[in-house]
Amino acid sequence: MAESAAHFDIDVDGGVLKLVASGDWRARFLKQIDNRLRDFADDSVGRDLVIDVSGVERLDTAGAMVLQRTFFACTQRTENSRIIGANDAHGALLAQVENHLAPCHVSPVHPNAFMEMLRRLGVGTMDAINAMLELMSFIGQTLFTAWRVLTRPSHFRWTSTVHHMEEAGLNAIPIIGLMSFLIGAVVAFMGAKILRLFNADIFTVELVGIAVLREFGVLLTAILIAGRSGSAFTAQIGSMKIREEIDAMRVLGIDPMEALVLPRVVALVIMLPAIAFIAAVLGVTGGALVAAGAMDISLALFAARFQETIIINHFWAGLIKAPFFAFVIGVIGCFQGMEVEGSSESLGQRTTLSVVQSLFLVIVIDAFFAMFYLEIDF
Amino acid sequence: MDKSAKPNVIEVRDLRTQFDDVVVHNDLDLDVHSGEIMGVVGGSGTGKSVLMRAIIGLKRPSNGTVRVFGDEFYEADEKTRLSIERRWGVLFQGGALFSSLTVAQNVMAPIREHLHVEGELAQDMAALKISMVGLPPDAGAKYPSELSGGMKKRAGLARALALDPELVFLDEPTAGLDPIGAAKFDELIINLKESLGLTVFMVTHDLDTLHAACDRVAVLAEKHVIECGPLEEVRRADHPWINEYFSGPRGRAALVAKAS
Ligand SMILES: Nc1ncnc2c1ncn2[C@@H]1O[C@H](COP(=O)(O)OP(=O)(O)OP(=O)(O)O)[C@@H](O)[C@H]1O
Ligand SMILES: [Mg+2]
């Protein structure tokens, strides 16, 4: 291979530069000589040049391009400047690439790094503000669509809603139940260890009951649903957006809000409280089993104390939050899906954003509820 | 069919492909000789794209053999496959550009990957291909989502030609191009064939392309190749679909265009 790789020599023949090319001038052999060729071209601007290609064994478009580029970098085609010695096939190739030597842009051009940083800062800020506004408007649109569908129930997509209830709700029950069970058990363990120091083992019941009913059951459910279904919504709607399916729906007179967004949001709003309930039950069960196993609180005692001390308010305090979480997760999942543009990269970014934003908002809303409950003594 | 002296670049024997129990091809034989442009025609849904996918290793046949450059692709080891893949270029029906890369980066992708060429040389090579397929230089910096349908086709073709392949697969390359662009495209393919000895497997509905560019034509119907040969011969074959295809108004118009 080595002896036939692309190679060139420079001669001076009566004031005319002569470049004698030989060997295999196909793309794979060019990188060894490309820099030297460029240097040569830079040094010989404006001089007459004859390129002799009779020694070239093989040539492809890349090789022809490199030869023509060198030729035109040095000189215009004149009497004294020629490419000689090409056989028919090579001549045809050289002629073919001749008109296609203009360089092209590789990526969108940006000014210097500092300006670029400023630009990105500005764009980022504006994007954040716009995203807020657009999210608001999207929430408004969703509510408006919901209202419109309420007044015209025949427009509601039952099949799709039930499908998403199964997909996002029912199928999530095993994993959420397991997580909640384990969290209940962990809380009981932690509590038992500390409370025993004060001889107050029995308060484990309150600890588990209040923590799981008020916070952990519903929060855990919301977090898992955001990771599991919020991201799925974004990916589904986003890939439809990329393939112009959303546009197709619009021109067919199908409202994507009605056909895609509403069923998903409604499905979550119905299913998340139900799953949160199951999660709460399993969380308390986990706590009770640990209490029975690791401490001397029998299941009967646990149940009795639970009934006695845990008022129903704790249960409602947790469950009331569930539809709000569900709404936020559903709306953000769909919103980010609709915001996907063009590339698969954007799809990935939006999916990440969807999960991060809905988790963030879920926690913020949870904090608001905590403050609110505190004020009204709920 | 096998009497030709030229070696077969593609050799398909007894091919059977199916999706679950829907059979797309059955007992399909096809040869593509070295250095020829083979046009594959057939009604919509007769399995032209699936045939192409079966040949390029994306749809494993349930029966039969596919040989490309003499090697049986589906039986070959990793190394052989890679070396075969390096020698062909593929233009998919939908363009199949990488959406997160610009056009120029799309064209540079195989150059970087297979030739390990970077920097200015890679850019020059990409620019050449982009210009050759008739895209303006500023298209290089655009993302696929910013291109028109025809421009996507051209960009896909530029990427397919990036490595100067010996064999190119084109799925409806001229669909979505304006007639002038389509004629230029025919010219480009013929030029490349002559200067590089390119072999082309081209799925097309474009009768003008068939007349202008294709050395032989294979007609797909009833799950196999019903006719294969030079256009003149195929046209005379007695089959309802072929008759309708070539003697319909478009078929006649293309013939007139060719004659003038
Ligand atoms: N992934 C798939 N799963 C199931 N069936 C498929 C799949 N891809 C193609 N088919 C079926 O195979 C048949 C052939 O499809 P193919 O895409 O090859 O058609 P074609 O000849 O290329 O048509 P066109 O000219 O419209 O592009 C069609 O009937 C199609 O429904
Ligand atoms: Mg097709």
Side-chain angles (χ1 to χ4, degrees):
Chain A
M1 274 284 174
E3 64 271 17
S4 75
H7 180 73
F8 69 93
D9 295 304
I10 314 285
D11 281 342
V12 182
D13 179 11
V16 176
L17 278 172
K18 191 167 181 194
L19 186 151
V20 183
S22 60
D24 186 337
W25 280 65
R26 284 181 300 165
R28 72 195 68 163
F29 299 108
L30 291 178
K31 64 183 166 191
Q32 289 95 333
I33 56 163
D34 190 53
N35 283 334
R36 279 201 296 135
L37 262 179
R38 278 178 206 277
D39 292 343
F40 166 73
D42 287 343
D43 292 343
S44 345
V45 174
R47 297 189 58 175
D48 280 333
L49 174 70
V50 171
I51 296 183
D52 181 356
V53 294
S54 52
V56 173
E57 289 150 23
R58 305 190 67 169
L59 188 67
D60 63 7
T61 54
M65 180 269 294
V66 170
L67 286 170
Q68 288 282 21
R69 185 193 69 202
T70 309
F71 185 77
F72 281 103
C74 296
T75 174
Q76 292 302 318
R77 199 167 282 230
T78 63
E79 282 291 281
N80 296 330
S81 300
R82 276 164 297 139
I83 295 183
I84 57 170
N87 63 24
D88 286 349
H90 294 175
L93 261 179
L94 287 164
Q96 207 180 356
V97 301
E98 191 179 341
N99 299 322
H100 300 293
L101 293 173
C104 87
H105 307 293
V106 173
S107 49
V109 273
H110 293 303
N112 64 49
F114 181 68
M115 294 303 282
E116 174 62 10
M117 193 188 77
L118 285 185
R119 190 189 69 84
R120 284 168 69 162
L121 192 65
V123 168
T125 315
M126 287 314 289
D127 278 355
I129 295 173
N130 286 337
M132 280 267 292
L133 291 177
E134 275 164 33
L135 180 60
M136 293 292 170
S137 125
F138 192 82
I139 291 176
Q141 253 176 296
T142 311
L143 291 175
F144 176 71
T145 311
W147 169 248
R148 218 184 41 204
V149 169
L150 265 184
T151 56
R152 277 182 298 170
S154 64
H155 280 227
F156 189 67
R157 317 258 163 170
W158 288 105
T159 326
S160 168
T161 309
V162 172
H163 168 76
H164 289 296
M165 281 169 71
E166 181 186 342
E167 190 72 9
L170 216 57
N171 294 347
I173 288 177
I175 179 74
I176 295 177
L178 179 66
M179 298 282 282
S180 184
F181 180 85
L182 292 177
I183 292 284
V186 169
V187 169
F189 257 123
M190 304 295 295
K193 231 180 150 186
I194 311 272
L195 292 170
R196 183 169 291 160
L197 295 178
F198 306 100
N199 251 344
D201 299 24
I202 194 66
F203 282 99
T204 306
V205 178
E206 276 97 323
L207 179 67
V208 170
I210 295 177
V212 169
L213 290 189
R214 282 192 93 102
E215 293 292 340
F216 285 141
V218 63
L219 207 54
L220 208 73
T221 310
I223 288 172
L224 278 169
I225 294 274
R228 206 179 160 276
S229 308
S231 56
F233 291 173
T234 309
Q236 289 159 359
I237 297 181
S239 58
M240 291 180 76
K241 185 90 191 291
I242 291 180
R243 283 180 304 192
E244 298 182 324
E245 289 175 51
I246 307 270
D247 297 336
M249 293 176 94
R250 287 222 171 87
V251 296
L252 288 172
I254 304 169
D255 180 9
M257 294 301 289
E258 195 179 290
L260 298 177
V261 178
L262 201 62
R264 287 178 167 80
V265 175
V266 169
L268 278 198
V269 170
I270 295 174
M271 288 311 280
L272 206 149
I275 306 175
F277 174 76
I278 297 174
V281 172
L282 283 168
V284 172
T285 312
L289 287 182
V290 166
M295 290 174 273
D296 301 330
I297 306 169
S298 71
L299 287 179
L301 180 59
F302 191 98
R305 171 113 190 146
F306 195 85
Q307 276 190 330
E308 190 184 314
T309 59
I310 308 286
I311 49 174
I312 192 74
N313 279 2
H314 293 309
F315 170 72
W316 288 124
L319 215 57
I320 286 172
K321 295 186 274 191
F324 291 90
F325 292 168
F327 184 77
V328 164
I329 294 167
V331 164
I332 290 188
C334 296
F335 170 70
Q336 294 294 355
M338 290 287 196
E339 291 289 291
V340 168
E341 239 146 49
S343 69
S344 52
E345 198 171 342
S346 146
L347 181 62
Q349 282 169 355
R350 290 292 169 181
T351 311
T352 312
L353 255 182
S354 151
V355 176
V356 172
Q357 274 187 359
S358 44
L359 286 182
F360 173 74
L361 279 178
V362 160
I363 307 274
V364 167
I365 293 175
D366 191 55
F368 271 114
F369 266 106
M371 292 195 306
F372 178 65
Y373 289 155
L374 195 70
E375 286 299 317
I376 65 167
D377 238 350
F378 187 57
Chain B
M1 230 188 272
D2 294 315
K3 274 171 265 157
S4 164
K6 288 188 173 173
N8 291 334
V9 175
I10 303 174
E11 216 177 83
V12 180
R13 288 287 173 277
D14 301 328
L15 179 81
R16 180 188 175 92
T17 53
Q18 57 195 79
F19 294 98
D20 295 326
D21 45 6
V22 180
V23 177
V24 180
H25 304 118
N26 201 5
D27 283 337
L28 185 148
D29 291 339
L30 183 67
D31 289 309
V32 179
H33 309 318
S34 173
E36 76 173 349
I37 301 181
M38 166 67 89
V40 177
V41 298
S44 274
T46 46
K48 303 179 294 297
S49 300
V50 174
L51 174 61
M52 189 179 106
R53 292 177 70 87
I55 298 173
I56 59 182
L58 297 174
K59 169 79 187 128
R60 184 175 278 276
S62 51
N63 188 24
T65 56
V66 175
R67 285 173 178 275
V68 182
F69 300 121
D71 286 310
E72 220 175 294
F73 190 83
Y74 288 94
E75 309 300 324
D77 56 34
E78 195 67 19
K79 231 177 109 201
T80 321
R81 279 183 185 218
L82 198 70
S83 73
I84 296 176
E85 279 162 358
R86 227 183 248 221
R87 292 166 69 185
W88 73 34
V90 180
L91 168 66
F92 288 95
Q93 197 165 4
L97 296 168
F98 302 124
S99 61
S100 53
L101 300 180
T102 63
V103 169
Q105 286 164 347
N106 260 288
V107 180
M108 280 155 69
I111 298 175
R112 285 188 168 142
E113 192 61 32
H114 284 312
L115 298 180
H116 309 289
V117 172
E118 296 278 345
E120 277 184 288
L121 180 58
Q123 289 178 17
D124 282 352
M125 284 167 70
L128 172 72
K129 295 287 150 47
I130 287 171
S131 171
M132 276 166 74
V133 297
L135 285 170
D138 61 352
K142 290 198 170 133
Y143 285 93
S145 57
E146 300 165 348
L147 299 180
S148 76
M151 288 166 87
K152 277 184 202 155
K153 269 273 151 70
R154 289 169 195 257
L157 180 66
R159 189 180 67 184
L161 295 177
L163 296 177
D164 279 330
E166 295 161 50
L167 171 62
V168 280
F169 293 90
L170 308 171
D171 198 346
E172 302 194 17
T174 52
L177 296 192
D178 58 281
I180 302 171
K184 285 239 174 70
F185 171 85
D186 296 342
E187 213 175 288
L188 171 70
I189 291 294
I190 295 168
N191 278 339
L192 284 177
K193 180 193 106 168
E194 268 155 20
S195 47
L196 287 175
L198 206 61
T199 309
V200 182
F201 177 98
M202 172 157 55
V203 175
T204 186
H205 293 298
D206 189 332
L207 284 151
D208 294 317
T209 303
L210 282 184
H211 282 291
C214 295
D215 299 313
R216 290 199 307 147
V217 177
V219 183
L220 223 63
E222 295 151 14
K223 301 186 177 147
H224 61 273
V225 176
I226 52 169
E227 280 298 328
C228 181
L231 187 59
E232 291 310 313
E233 275 174 34
V234 169
R235 208 208 334 257
R236 280 195 295 273
D238 189 27
H239 185 277
W241 190 84
I242 296 180
N243 291 341
E244 206 167 328
Y245 185 68
F246 287 107
S247 44
R250 283 155 188 271
R252 284 200 306 270
L255 199 58
V256 173
K258 166 87 174 171
S260 63

